[in-house]
Amino acid sequence: MAWREYSRKQVVENYYSRKICLDNDGQFANQCISKEVKYFRGTDRNIGIRLWSKFGTSESEFDRKLAEFNITRENYLKYAYQYEKFYESDDFGDVANGTVFQGLIAEDGKTVILPAIYRSVLPLSDKAAIVTAFNQKKYLVMFNDDSPKLTEIPYSYTNWYMIYGGSNSKPVTVVFKLKAEENQLGDTYVVLDKLGGAAFTIENVTSNGNGTMAFHEYNNGTIAFPVKNADGVTFSVTVDTQTLQTFGVGPAFDTLNIGYALADYWKDNNFNHGKDISMQKVGTLGSGHGLMSGQTIYQPISEEDGSLAPLNVDGLLGLAPIFLPEIEKVRGWIPLCQDSCRLSFS
């Protein structure tokens, strides 16, 4: 289900037909409970949660939702036609029936954790979630009574990221990128705790790479943020997402977007596909090298734990990325040697 919001019932029906929803009764009944389980922080242990997507709201119930947020039918229909991919031929009944709402169900596929009354749901733990309400604004909801109350999110953010969650040992971690303030050295990121507060805030996050995100997550459940302080010193701050504690300080790095043909699947050479990897800058190619002059020289960082990966080739200084004019992703590497080095490929 990809843990995202869906504007119309046809999307949910499509997922159901692809057999990625739980099917308890053998029939499609206006809902989809995700087969995929994501793991979130619990009181005593991490717990598995399924996404619950539901449609088929009656006109009268839809009217009550509109009234709760003082929204008129006319204004909502304009919004639905423009942003929710409904057609202007769809009347109010069609929009009410076809709008998808989301909630949460426990790993057993039966126990309701949060009713399916929100446009999107992003759990933080077994106690709290960030939801998109009917007015399209995001709120914090606590699971502490039968009538969850909406609380304004105390962050002015530009982006948020949902990381990990595929295994019990690496629970979902939510990171907010805050809106930039005047004269700010770099970006500010907030890593949320299980109640929606700030586990910690990392300022002056700066990356010179072309990756989709400045920070990078590793296979061992740590996230590293490249930082540059007021004195121009660069380093990285690493966070353990299991404990939500600072793991340590290490060397700075750039995040580069690498074409899949180099970074993941050799047979997938689609120019639009790429994967972020972190690389440590180890030098700059000086003048006198033609088009490559000024190019950054990198050494790879291990995707397993964020440590510097050894080059294991005598005389190899590092790698310079190759870009094509029409493609922003890295499409190749030039190995740079001090005098000479013997390379073999397999």
Side-chain angles (χ1 to χ4, degrees):
M1 293 294 292
W3 291 80
R4 51 166 294 184
E5 78 177 53
Y6 304 107
S7 58
R8 296 187 302 154
K9 69 176 184 178
Q10 286 85 352
V11 182
V12 177
E13 290 173 333
N14 178 52
Y15 274 95
Y16 193 91
S17 67
R18 289 167 56 186
K19 301 186 184 303
I20 62 174
C21 306
L22 285 182
D23 187 4
N24 295 326
D25 58 4
Q27 295 181 348
F28 183 51
N30 295 354
Q31 68 175 0
C32 177
I33 300 170
S34 67
K35 280 185 179 178
E36 180 187 24
V37 174
K38 284 194 176 292
Y39 292 89
F40 298 84
R41 305 176 203 284
T43 304
D44 302 315
R45 59 183 178 84
N46 297 334
I47 64 168
I49 296 178
R50 300 181 190 273
L51 184 66
W52 180 19
S53 298
K54 184 179 180 182
F55 62 87
T57 307
S58 66
E59 290 189 35
S60 59
E61 185 179 352
F62 210 80
D63 274 328
R64 286 194 293 271
K65 293 178 182 292
L66 290 173
E68 182 180 354
F69 292 97
N70 196 27
I71 303 172
T72 66
R73 278 191 177 192
E74 180 182 13
N75 285 341
Y76 189 82
L77 285 176
K78 288 180 180 178
Y79 173 85
Y81 297 149
Q82 184 172 0
Y83 297 107
E84 298 283 12
K85 297 183 180 179
F86 284 96
Y87 303 107
E88 292 194 10
S89 58
D90 294 328
D91 61 20
F92 183 74
D94 295 326
V95 172
N97 178 69
T99 298
V100 177
F101 294 93
Q102 292 188 341
L104 300 173
I105 286 182
E107 191 171 4
D108 63 11
K110 300 176 182 179
T111 305
V112 174
I113 297 176
L114 195 65
I117 58 176
Y118 305 102
R119 294 309 318 279
S120 70
V121 177
L122 174 60
L124 300 173
S125 65
D126 63 344
K127 293 185 177 297
I130 293 172
V131 301
T132 304
F134 198 65
N135 61 355
Q136 303 306 315
K137 294 182 179 180
K138 293 190 183 299
Y139 296 90
L140 180 67
V141 170
M142 306 296 292
F143 310 155
N144 52 6
D145 52 41
D146 294 332
S147 300
K149 295 178 177 59
L150 302 178
T151 303
E152 294 279 353
I153 296 176
Y155 310 108
S156 179
Y157 62 90
T158 58
N159 289 302
W160 60 268
Y161 307 90
M162 176 178 171
I163 305 168
Y164 298 125
S167 68
N168 198 310
S169 62
K170 291 187 284 188
V172 165
T173 300
V174 177
V175 180
F176 275 70
K177 179 182 177 182
L178 303 189
K179 289 184 178 179
E181 298 181 359
E182 190 175 357
N183 299 322
Q184 186 172 306
L185 289 177
D187 295 322
T188 300
Y189 289 83
V190 175
V191 180
L192 300 188
D193 63 21
K194 63 183 181 181
L195 297 180
F200 46 82
T201 301
I202 302 174
E203 299 178 339
N204 303 330
V205 176
T206 306
S207 175
N208 296 319
N210 69 331
T212 55
M213 298 184 295
F215 60 88
H216 195 74
E217 70 269 22
Y218 297 102
N219 295 337
N220 65 346
T222 60
I223 306 175
F225 296 81
V227 172
K228 184 176 184 179
N229 66 17
D231 296 326
V233 178
T234 58
F235 54 93
S236 62
V237 176
T238 305
V239 176
D240 186 333
T241 60
Q242 180 67 270
T243 63
L244 289 180
Q245 298 293 321
T246 301
F247 186 77
V249 175
F253 61 88
D254 290 345
T255 302
L256 300 180
N257 196 253
I258 313 297
Y260 264 6
L262 298 174
D264 211 327
Y265 305 109
W266 69 269
K267 63 182 179 181
D268 186 350
N269 203 31
N270 189 318
F271 286 171
N272 296 320
H273 292 176
K275 176 181 180 180
D276 279 359
I277 66 170
S278 58
M279 303 282 286
Q280 183 178 335
K281 180 179 177 179
V282 293
T284 302
L285 201 60
S287 60
H289 296 279
L291 293 176
M292 296 299 294
S293 295
Q295 179 64 279
T296 301
I297 304 172
Y298 288 107
Q299 186 170 346
I301 294 177
S302 170
E303 286 291 293
E304 185 57 39
D305 58 8
S307 62
L308 196 62
L311 294 173
N312 292 330
V313 176
D314 292 338
L316 182 61
L317 299 176
L319 304 170
I322 300 173
F323 298 92
L324 297 180
E326 68 276 15
I327 303 170
E328 294 182 355
K329 296 172 179 59
V330 176
R331 302 304 299 176
W333 302 98
I334 294 180
L336 301 172
C337 301
Q338 185 171 4
D339 295 312
S340 63
C341 53
R342 184 180 299 275
L343 302 175
S344 63
F345 302 90
S346 60

